[in-house]
Amino acid sequence: MTAVYVLNGPNLNLLGRREPTVYGSATLDEIERRVRERASEAAVELTFGQSNHEGELVGWIQEAGLQGAGVVINAGAYTHTSLALRDAIGGSGAVTVEVHISNVYAREAFRHKSMIAPVCAGVICGSGP
Ligand code: CA2
């Protein structure tokens, strides 16, 4: 069975409660429900997680790599800063797709640089929750 880890980084637990004009009105629980529905239709074994802690995200990425699972990650602000996440993705061997709710390229210049994009299979951004 195909396995996928869907990982969410810092502050994404606040989705739907603040800044709806930027990030939409869906909560992370609602997003998880939708993703679980799709995963079950596609017979994908899903692990869904959110953490405000870089090390916990690193742990899940390593776990995914060891299990031969893929990773879909919205690393939040760590996208732009985290060498640890980049090394985890690159070193784990987990095929990883970077996602963002907002179009980071239409926002501040500091959001245009992704530390993790070079070790990801692809990037999706700006399509909302
Ligand atoms: O657009 C995205 O998905 C981001 O990954 C969201 C990050 C931001 O740092 C990235 O540049 C782009 C921020 C997540 C913060 O989430 C909040 C949600 C609701 C209220 C406040 C913050």
Side-chain angles (χ1 to χ4, degrees):
M1 197 180 197
T2 304
V4 177
Y5 280 58
V6 174
L7 304 177
N8 297 275
N11 295 307
L12 288 160
N13 54 311
L14 299 175
L15 282 177
R17 300 180 219 292
R18 310 240 174 89
E19 300 196 50
T21 52
V22 184
Y23 299 119
S25 54
T27 64
L28 194 59
D29 283 349
E30 286 162 3
I31 292 171
E32 178 175 357
R33 263 196 301 280
R34 286 191 225 163
V35 172
R36 283 200 180 283
E37 259 174 46
R38 292 292 184 94
S40 109
E41 286 161 15
V44 165
E45 186 184 320
L46 180 76
T47 301
F48 193 98
Q50 185 278 328
S51 181
N52 294 324
H53 302 278
E54 197 175 22
E56 193 165 19
L57 295 164
V58 167
W60 282 327
I61 293 164
Q62 290 181 359
E63 206 175 273
L66 289 170
Q67 292 178 17
V71 174
V72 174
I73 185 166
N74 184 345
Y78 287 147
T79 306
H80 316 296
T81 62
S82 179
L83 188 51
L85 286 185
R86 179 194 180 114
D87 286 348
I89 294 166
S92 71
V95 175
T96 299
V97 174
E98 171 186 342
V99 299
H100 299 286
I101 294 170
S102 64
N103 177 1
V104 287
Y105 299 101
R107 300 182 64 192
E108 304 95 324
F110 60 81
R111 296 186 203 276
H112 299 178
K113 171 75 189 168
S114 168
M115 290 294 281
I116 66 173
V119 289
C120 286
V123 179
I124 298 170
C125 76
S127 297

